[in-house]
């Protein structure tokens, strides 16, 4: 193939082998790579001719299109592109312009426009070609993926068909073998049946005998049996162990097999019942088999397959039992040891079973404000005169009656039992009566009583006592109660207040009516027709009667003979004694009684409940005693209550409040301390003052601090002997201060400890890995050069590869030559090895840094 173009000055010849070109100095040449579908490429030579300046009088020279000179193709034969069609003949050129003695023949506007259109068209075609190539590639990928899926599906179907054909062939082969093996036995069975049918029954000694007619085929003569032939049918050890001369099934075996097959045809196999198996922490194999309704021998076989030889009486743990139950197809529900107490308390009652019950009232107040006198006055006014002398004075609770309605009073010395009941979750009190003397007004223990009542969340009735004195001022009492957020009705609040006199017996009826009114508002109800629950008010060890517990029945009815669990003790109720010393047959809800028959003395505030049998009672008490022992050991291991330990405890539990019980010498100091501590609080931490009052630190303060988990701070006051003993027993630290600034600084430090520390990281240096050495018994060592800063042995390190952190840890070794060094300065070489990491490569960067935990302060 050849092509020849004639022009004014040059001739282009194109042949498949060689390209001959005559170029003028004005020509520019370059190469362009063209991309085609299916990954084909081609390089072509592009020549561009510069515009020619013509002399006056010369004819305009036609502009030639770019000449493409193809090179040998890479993959396939080259694709020859046709040159774009020449534009229409240009209009006559404009008159020549003479510049410096030369006439310049410029291109016409139509030629410029044609060239621009040709260039834009080529760009559009190039974009379309690229889009078409991308679509073709995408379509080819989709076709390839579809063909791959079809091949996989075809292969899978072919494999399934081959497996099915193989299974059918195997089953046919087995059936044929079984038929061939049964053929002689079936013929023998038929022969025996014919003999039984032909042979007549023998009726006498001379009865004729009908013999079976043998077929015409002559039987071969019976050979004489040798000793080897005689023993051939017997089973020996050698014949049993060898596969040769296998023993055939007997006639009886064939009959048994046929009968079993007939039974199987009529009796379909029973479907296995899947059960939910409840698993304790330990269980015997026999018990597990019973809960799964399986045979114990099947479980023993299962363990033997696993390589364990166990007996049905052996004990296994819950994890192993769960594995076995799951393997047998059952579902499992695990129960913990603490589930022993499940269902003991807080049993839900139906609304239709609830009936009204008497209210439980606790009398609180300051010392010498007349609590005991008021109790005695209420008691004597409501007790029959004939029984007045026989009242037992040691019981801590009793009932009185007003207008046919009963009221239960709890006589608790101090507030220890009150807070102990609240700490154990036993809300025993319904109403709190706050006794305030009209002549003394509000005192420190009055404020403590208010704090206790608010912490328990019970309504308060204010009894203003000693109104018969000449200096009594009930209005002053009401005004001072406002400062402690106790708003009586006469001052526009909701708290009931009654002016009484214990010595004169004034307005005691009004006080009882106020209690009944408050109880009616509360709508107190309980279910008497169920097992009893309640709380232990106090307990003691009587020499003649043994352990005696005063209990308050909260729901249900307690009877003699019930099995009682109270705290860590249990026992069968031997007798019930009421507050008048009389044995009773039952104790309904809200009735206080003495219980005799416990094994030991429970703690005040413990909850009690009635259980079904002694086994469960013993199980519950053993579990509680074990927990109490573990708690005591942990308590002696590290006493709690100091500011530092409480700070760490609050920090680990995530709390942001610091509870405090503050006692000062005067009310002014208390207000100043409260104002200073309020300023320390932030959005993250703050001091929560559980109780603040003037006066000495008492046993009630220690009990309140133990219940709320607070620290005790005394400002110019001291604790009495009972409070010190209670604090030592509870492990609570009491701190004394005489300068308010020291107190605020200590609390500020404790609050700062609640703030989480700030992690600060300091860069030390970088090292470049130059070589990796694999040393026997040591591992991989990285030979490095410190490029920036320095490297320290105790600092943290990171392995960085391509600006990505691969590992973060510590250095196992840092050596300079053969010596172990603490640090290596910049520019020197050293050997490093990571702790528990050896995937290091040449070119990695080791970054050395130091981490500091900066403590935050308020």
């Amino acid at each position: 193939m050849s092509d020849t173009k004639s022009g004014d000055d040059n001739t282009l010849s194109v042949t498949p082998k060689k390209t001959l070109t005559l170029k003028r100095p004005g020509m520019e040449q370059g190469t362009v790579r063209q991309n085609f579908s299916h990954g084909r490429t081609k390089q072509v030579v592009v020549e561009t001719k510069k515009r020619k300046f013509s002399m006056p009088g010369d004819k305009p020279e036609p502009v030639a299109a770019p000449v493409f000179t193809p090179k040998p193709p890479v993959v396939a034969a080259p694709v020859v592109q046709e040159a774009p069609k020449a534009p229409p003949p240009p209009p006559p050129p404009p008159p020549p312009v003479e510049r410096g003695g030369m006439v310049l023949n410029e291109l016409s506007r139509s030629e410029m426009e044609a060239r621009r259109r040709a260039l834009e068209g080529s760009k559009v075609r190039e974009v379309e070609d690229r889009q078409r190539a991308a679509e073709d590639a995408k379509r080819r990928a989709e076709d390839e993926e579809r063909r791959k899926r079809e091949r996989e599906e075809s292969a899978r179907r072919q494999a399934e068909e081959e497996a099915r054909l193989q299974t059918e062939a195997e089953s046919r082969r087995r059936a044929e073998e079984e038929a061939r093996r049964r053929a002689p036995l079936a013929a023998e069975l038929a022969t025996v049946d014919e003999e039984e049918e032909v042979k007549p029954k023998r009726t006498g000694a001379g009865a004729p005998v009908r013999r079976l007619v043998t077929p015409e085929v002559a039987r071969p003569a019976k050979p004489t049996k040798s000793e080897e032939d005689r023993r051939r049918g017997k089973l020996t050890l050698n014949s049993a162990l060898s596969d040769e001369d296998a023993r055939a099934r007997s006639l009886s075996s064939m009959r048994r097999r046929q009968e079993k097959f007939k039974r199987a045809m009529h009796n379909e196999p029973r479907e296995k019942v899947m059960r939910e198996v409840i698993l304790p922490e330990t269980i015997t194999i026999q018990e597990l088999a019973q809960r799964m309704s399986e045979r114990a021998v099947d479980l023993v076989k299962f363990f033997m397959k696993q390589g364990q030889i166990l007996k049905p009486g052996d004990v296994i743990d819950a994890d192993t039992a769960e594995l076995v139950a799951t393997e047998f197809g059952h579902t499992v529900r695990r129960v913990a040891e603490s589930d022993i107490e499940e269902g003991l308390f807080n049993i839900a009652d139906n609304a239709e079973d609830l009936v009204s019950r008497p209210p439980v009232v606790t009398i609180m107040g300051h010392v010498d404000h007349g609590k005991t006198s008021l109790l005695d006055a209420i008691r004597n006014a409501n007790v029959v005169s004939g029984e007045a002398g026989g009242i037992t004075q040691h019981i801590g609770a009793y009932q009185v009656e007003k207008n046919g309605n009963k009221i239960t009073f709890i006589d608790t010395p101090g507030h220890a039992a009150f807070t102990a009941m609240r700490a154990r979750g036993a809300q025993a009190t319904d109403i709190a009566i706050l006794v305030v003397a009209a002549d003394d007004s509000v005192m420190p223990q009055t404020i403590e009583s208010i704090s206790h009542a608010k912490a328990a969340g019970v309504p308060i009735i204010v009894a203003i006592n000693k109104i018969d004195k000449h200096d009594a001022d009930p209005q002053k009492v009401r005004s001072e109660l406002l400062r402690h957020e106790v708003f009586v009705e006469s001052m526009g609040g909701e708290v009931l207040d009654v002016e009484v006199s214990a010595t004169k017996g004034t307005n005691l009826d009004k006080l009882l009516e106020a209690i009944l009114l408050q109880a009616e508002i509360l709508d107190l109800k309980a279910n008497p027709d169920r097992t009893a629950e309640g709380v232990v008010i106090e307990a003691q060890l009587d020499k003649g009667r043994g352990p005696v517990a005063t209990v308050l029945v909260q729901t249900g009815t307690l009877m003699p003979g019930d099995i009682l669990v109270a705290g860590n003790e249990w026992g069968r109720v031997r007798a019930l004694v009421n507050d008048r010393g009389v044995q009773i047959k039952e104790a309904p809800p809200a009735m206080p009684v003495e219980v005799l028959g416990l094994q030991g003395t429970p703690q005040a505030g413990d909850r009690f409940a009635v259980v079904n049998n002694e086994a469960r009672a013993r199980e519950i008490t053993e579990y509680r005693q074990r927990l109490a022992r573990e708690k005591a050991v942990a308590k002696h291991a590290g006493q709690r209550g100091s500011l530092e330990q409480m700070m760490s405890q609050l920090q680990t539990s995530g709390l942001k409040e610091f509870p405090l019980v503050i006692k000062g010498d005067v009310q002014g100091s208390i207000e100043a301390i409260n104002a200073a501590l309020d300023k320390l609080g932030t959005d993250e931490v703050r001091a929560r003052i559980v109780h603040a009052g003037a006066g000495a630190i008492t046993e009630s303060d220690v009990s309140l601090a133990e219940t709320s988990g607070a620290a005790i701070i005394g400002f110019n006051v001291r604790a009495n002997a009972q409070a010190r003993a209670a604090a030592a027993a509870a492990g609570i630290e009491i701190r004394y201060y005489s300068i308010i600034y020291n107190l605020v600084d200590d609390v500020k430090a404790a609050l700062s400890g609640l703030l989480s520390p700030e992690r600060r990281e300091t860069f030390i240096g970088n090292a470049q890995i130059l070589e990796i050495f694999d040393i026997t018994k040591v591992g991989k060592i990285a030979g490095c050069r410190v490029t920036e800063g320095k490297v320290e042995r105790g600092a943290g390190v990171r392995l960085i590869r391509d600006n990505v952190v691969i590992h973060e840890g510590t250095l196992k070794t840092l050596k300079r030559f053969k010596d172990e060094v603490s640090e290596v300065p910049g520019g020197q070489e050293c050997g490093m090895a990571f702790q528990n990491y050896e995937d290091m490569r040449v070119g990695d960067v080791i970054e050395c840094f130091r981490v500091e935990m900066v403590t935050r302060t308020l």
Side-chain angles (χ1 to χ4, degrees), residues 35-38 122-140:
N35 295 323
F36 300 95
S37 60
H38 300 285
S122 64
K123 289 182 180 179
V124 171
R125 284 193 299 274
E126 184 179 354
V127 172
E128 291 177 352
D129 291 341
R130 280 200 297 267
Q131 292 179 352
R132 196 177 300 110
E135 291 175 357
D136 292 342
K138 182 178 179 182
R139 187 166 55 255
R140 284 194 304 275

Side-chain angles (χ1 to χ4, degrees), residues 839-858:
D839 186 17
M840 300 172 289
R841 301 178 187 176
V842 176
D844 292 350
V845 176
I846 298 177
E847 178 184 351
C848 186
F849 61 93
R850 187 186 298 114
V851 176
E852 298 175 350
M853 302 304 290
V854 181
T855 304
R856 299 165 58 196
T857 57
L858 291 175

Side-chain angles (χ1 to χ4, degrees), residues 553-822:
V553 182
Q554 293 178 308
T555 183
T557 302
L558 185 63
M559 299 181 183
D562 288 343
I563 299 173
L564 199 71
V565 175
N568 299 340
E569 306 296 336
W570 74 278
R572 187 181 293 274
V573 178
R574 199 169 66 240
L576 297 176
V577 182
N578 65 2
D579 57 339
R580 296 175 177 82
V582 180
Q583 288 195 12
I584 58 177
K585 296 298 183 183
E586 61 179 21
M591 183 175 186
V593 289
E594 284 185 339
V595 176
L596 282 70
L598 293 176
Q599 301 288 332
T601 305
Q603 299 292 326
D606 285 343
R607 299 182 70 184
F608 77 85
V610 174
V611 296
N612 298 329
N613 48 45
E614 293 184 3
R616 188 175 183 214
R618 192 177 292 108
E619 193 177 12
I620 293 173
T621 52
E622 288 176 356
Y623 167 68
R624 290 181 174 179
Q625 288 170 5
R626 184 167 64 255
L627 284 186
R629 286 194 299 268
E630 293 174 358
K631 191 179 295 183
V633 170
K635 181 178 178 181
H636 289 297
Q639 291 289 338
R640 63 179 178 86
S642 64
L643 284 175
E644 292 82 2
Q645 292 169 349
M646 191 173 300
M647 176 184 65
S648 62
Q649 180 183 358
L650 292 173
Q651 185 173 354
T652 54
S653 61
L655 300 176
K656 297 299 181 181
E657 287 187 342
F658 189 52
L660 293 172
V661 173
I662 301 175
K663 297 300 289 290
D665 51 352
V666 293
Q667 192 65 32
S669 301
I670 300 299
E671 293 177 357
I673 293 171
N674 289 344
L677 295 182
D678 284 340
K679 294 179 181 177
L680 294 178
T682 62
D683 296 337
E684 197 170 348
V685 293
R686 69 181 183 90
R688 180 171 63 89
I689 299 175
V690 179
H691 170 69
I697 299 173
T698 61
E699 190 177 359
S700 173
D701 297 323
V702 177
S703 178
L704 183 61
E706 183 183 7
T707 303
S708 57
I712 301 177
I713 293 178
F715 185 74
N716 288 333
V717 293
R718 292 294 182 268
N720 54 29
Q722 293 84 2
R724 288 198 298 271
I732 295 178
E733 181 186 16
I734 303 176
R735 290 209 170 190
Y736 302 108
Y737 296 92
S738 57
I739 301 174
I740 192 171
Y741 302 109
N742 296 340
L743 186 152
V744 174
D745 289 343
D746 283 0
V747 175
K748 183 178 180 180
L751 291 176
S752 299
L754 296 180
L755 298 173
S756 56
E758 182 181 357
R759 186 179 186 273
R760 186 174 299 171
E761 184 177 301
T762 305
F763 172 77
I764 299 178
N766 278 342
Q768 183 86 21
I769 297 180
L770 305 179
E771 190 65 39
I772 302 295
F773 304 98
D774 199 349
I775 301 176
T776 308
K777 297 183 181 180
V778 177
K780 289 187 178 182
I781 303 294
C784 310
R785 178 186 292 117
V786 181
T787 58
E788 184 180 357
K790 62 180 180 179
V791 176
E792 295 181 356
R793 186 167 54 187
V797 288
R798 292 191 185 97
L799 183 66
I800 301 175
R801 183 178 301 155
D802 297 332
N803 295 326
V804 178
V805 177
I806 304 300
H807 174 70
E808 182 173 343
T810 57
L811 286 179
K812 180 171 65 175
T813 179
L814 178 63
K815 287 190 176 184
R816 174 83 176 139
F817 296 106
K818 294 186 178 181
D819 300 328
E820 192 79 23
V821 295
S822 60

